[in-house]
Amino acid sequence: MKPVIFVLGQSAMVLAQKLKNEFNGEIHSPKVIAEGDVHYDKATDHLVSIFAERRVLIGLCASGILIRALGTRLSDKRSEMPVIAVAEDGSAVVPLLGGHSGGNVWAKRIAASTNGFAAITTAGDIRFGGSLDETSLDYKLGNPDDMKSATAALLAGAPLALHYRDNRVDQKMPVELP
């Protein structure tokens, strides 16, 4: 499904078109902006409907707008799709939700495209370049319910052992993290 590039005004359209072309997105804009792919009447209601559709949401607007619109809809960080706030000039890219469901990766990709800064704040990403619950990585935690305790142990300096299957044999491999 195409990511939604949500805009409030004409001033965001240059960046919206760039992101649409680069990431195969779909621009959602007020009806007064003819260049939008999908038009809406009320911004808050439209944001809620996008979130309910479980689509990646790239908002070219203030983060507070996205937070206020979606705040009452938040329930489970493991199942929420990425919501990324992007300054209209592309200078700041903030993954607000779904950081470990691809939001941090999206933020980094968008920031690279706009020559902006991806404001990644999750501890695992800062220290290790990823997280044990991030779906875009080549590895995952065997029991997702252990994510908090496993990450806390890693951040405290505990060693990590990877278990992998090769010809149906479990093997352990110690891993050095930076």
Side-chain angles (χ1 to χ4, degrees):
M1 192 174 294
K2 292 183 175 193
V4 170
I5 301 160
F6 177 85
V7 300
L8 290 170
Q10 188 67 45
S11 57
M13 286 306 294
V14 171
L15 180 56
Q17 289 290 348
K18 175 181 175 57
L19 296 178
K20 173 185 176 174
N21 293 336
E22 187 150 343
F23 300 112
N24 192 32
E26 182 178 82
I27 298 172
H28 289 220
S29 66
K31 289 180 177 179
V32 296
I33 300 175
E35 302 92 355
D37 300 311
V38 174
H39 296 97
Y40 61 83
D41 287 314
K42 188 166 176 11
T44 302
D45 292 343
H46 193 68
L47 286 166
V48 168
S49 69
I50 295 166
F51 191 71
E53 291 172 7
R54 301 192 41 73
R55 296 181 70 181
V56 171
L57 174 57
I58 302 166
L60 303 187
C61 58
S63 59
I65 292 167
L66 299 169
I67 292 167
R68 285 183 186 87
L70 302 176
T72 61
R73 305 294 195 268
L74 305 182
S75 61
D76 178 17
K77 76 176 198 170
R78 288 190 213 156
S79 65
E80 292 161 353
M81 294 298 288
V83 175
I84 302 105
V86 181
E88 285 187 359
D89 65 357
S91 61
V93 183
V94 184
L96 298 173
L97 297 172
H100 294 166
S101 301
N104 291 344
V105 173
W106 272 101
K108 291 172 188 174
R109 290 176 60 208
I110 293 167
S113 171
T114 64
N115 293 315
F117 176 76
I120 308 297
T121 60
T122 49
D125 288 83
I126 292 167
R127 290 269 305 277
F128 310 126
S131 175
L132 297 175
D133 62 349
E134 187 165 341
T135 57
S136 63
L137 298 178
D138 291 334
Y139 56 86
K140 67 179 182 175
L141 194 61
N143 181 357
D145 292 334
D146 292 338
M147 194 278 301
K148 282 185 182 179
S149 59
T151 300
L154 283 174
L155 291 169
L160 171 70
L162 295 180
H163 299 264
Y164 64 96
R165 287 199 178 273
D166 184 18
N167 296 325
R168 299 183 186 214
V169 176
D170 282 336
Q171 298 178 353
K172 290 185 179 180
M173 180 177 72
V175 175
E176 296 282 330
L177 294 174

